[in-house]
Amino acid sequence: MIRLFRKVRNQLLSEGKYSIYILYASGEVFLVMIGILLALQIDNWNDHHKTQKELSEIFDEIHDDLVLDTTSVSRILTERILDNQAQERIIFAIQNDLSFSDQIQNDLGRLMLKRSVPLVSSGFNLLKESKLISIDDKILRTALIEYYEQVVIRMKDEFQEDGYEFETVWLPYVRHNFIEWKFGNYGVPVDWESMKDDPNFRITLQMNLNNLNMTILEMQNGLSSATYILELLDQ
C-alpha cells in the first residue's frame, strides 16, 4: 500500500501536477491520522473492557465478603443482645437482693463474654491494590470507604475491648469466685450472697454493660452499612 502511494506521488510530480499532488498528499495525511485515531480508540476500548472486567471480578469478591460479614455479624449480634439482657437481669437481681435461681445461674454464664466476629476485607484490599478505588460511582465508592476504613475499624475496636475485659477482668474473677462456669451457658458462684455485696463486682458489671451497649450499637451500624452496600452492588 505504501509503495502504491509513493508511485502515485512520483507520477504526479513527474507530470507537473503540483496542485493535485498537494491534495493527494493531504489526503494521505488525513488517512494516516484516521488510522492513528482508530488505533487509539481500539486501544482505549480494550483498556476499558479490561478495567471493567477486573472491576467486576473485584466487586464479586467484595459482594461475597459482605455476605460473610452480614451472616457473622447477624449471628453474633443476636448473641450479644442476649448477653446484654442477661447482664441487665444480673444487675437487677443484685440491686433487688434476689435469691439465687436457675435463671441467675444461666445468666452468670453470659457475663462479660468476648465473642469473635471474623470480618473479611480481601475484596476491598484488591480494590485498593488495583488502583481502581477511584471508581466512577461516587455513592458506592463512599459507602465502601466508610464501611471498611471506619465502620469495620470501630467494630474491631469494640471486639478487642470486650476481649481485653474478658481476659484480664472476668476470667480472673471467675477463677476465684465460681465453683463452675461454662462460657455462655451457666455459672455457679462460691457464695452468691457475698457476690451481691461485692462493690467491685457491681461497678464492673455496670461498666461492662455500657461497653456492651456500645458494641451492640457498632455491630448494628456495621450490619446496616454492609447491607446497604450489598444493595448497591446488586443494582
Side-chain angles (χ1 to χ4, degrees), residues 25-78:
S26 299
E28 277 192 30
V29 172
F30 178 74
L31 288 174
V32 171
M33 291 178 62
I34 291 296
I36 293 174
L37 290 174
L38 285 175
L40 290 173
Q41 186 68 23
I42 291 173
D43 285 343
N44 289 337
W45 183 88
N46 287 334
D47 289 342
H48 178 73
H49 180 72
K50 181 180 178 181
T51 298
Q52 289 303 114
K53 182 180 179 182
E54 183 180 359
L55 198 56
S56 178
E57 291 173 351
I58 291 174
F59 282 160
D60 285 343
E61 184 157 352
I62 291 175
H63 187 282
D64 292 343
D65 291 348
L66 290 171
V67 169
L68 291 174
D69 280 4
T70 54
T71 300
S72 298
V73 171
S74 295
R75 177 174 57 84
I76 300 300
L77 178 59
T78 299

Side-chain angles (χ1 to χ4, degrees), residues 65-217:
D65 291 348
L66 290 171
V67 169
L68 291 174
D69 280 4
T70 54
T71 300
S72 298
V73 171
S74 295
R75 177 174 57 84
I76 300 300
L77 178 59
T78 299
E79 293 297 326
R80 295 313 267 161
I81 291 174
L82 293 175
D83 295 340
N84 179 279
Q85 293 170 351
Q87 194 143 321
E88 287 180 337
R89 285 193 295 268
I90 290 296
I91 292 173
F92 178 85
I94 291 173
Q95 291 173 342
N96 292 274
D97 196 25
L98 300 184
S99 299
F100 191 71
S101 64
D102 290 342
Q103 181 66 64
I104 290 174
Q105 176 175 294
N106 294 336
D107 289 342
L108 285 172
R110 303 190 76 107
L111 297 185
M112 297 181 64
L113 300 181
K114 70 170 183 178
R115 296 187 184 273
S116 299
V117 183
L119 299 173
V120 188
S121 58
S122 56
F124 183 71
N125 291 336
L126 281 177
L127 184 63
K128 291 195 294 184
E129 292 170 4
S130 68
K131 299 180 181 179
L132 296 174
I133 194 65
S134 57
I135 53 179
D136 294 336
D137 191 331
K138 184 178 179 181
I139 294 176
L140 177 59
R141 181 175 71 248
T142 301
L144 285 170
I145 293 174
E146 180 179 354
Y147 176 73
Y148 284 104
E149 297 188 351
Q150 296 182 36
V151 177
V152 166
I153 291 175
R154 290 198 299 268
M155 280 196 289
K156 287 183 176 180
D157 287 344
E158 291 298 328
F159 302 152
Q160 185 175 1
E161 186 171 346
D162 290 344
Y164 178 81
E165 288 195 3
F166 177 77
E167 298 287 348
T168 63
V169 178
W170 183 238
L171 283 186
Y173 188 85
V174 167
R175 292 188 181 102
H176 287 90
N177 295 278
F178 281 77
I179 301 172
E180 290 184 69
W181 187 82
K182 186 175 181 180
F183 187 104
N185 286 277
Y186 63 85
V188 181
V190 173
D191 187 341
W192 169 243
E193 296 302 320
S194 296
M195 187 176 288
K196 285 190 296 183
D197 293 333
D198 183 353
N200 289 328
F201 182 57
R202 291 190 180 197
I203 190 64
T204 298
L205 285 183
Q206 190 59 59
M207 291 175 63
N208 180 260
L209 184 62
N210 295 335
N211 291 336
L212 180 54
N213 284 329
M214 183 57 66
T215 299
I216 290 173
L217 178 61

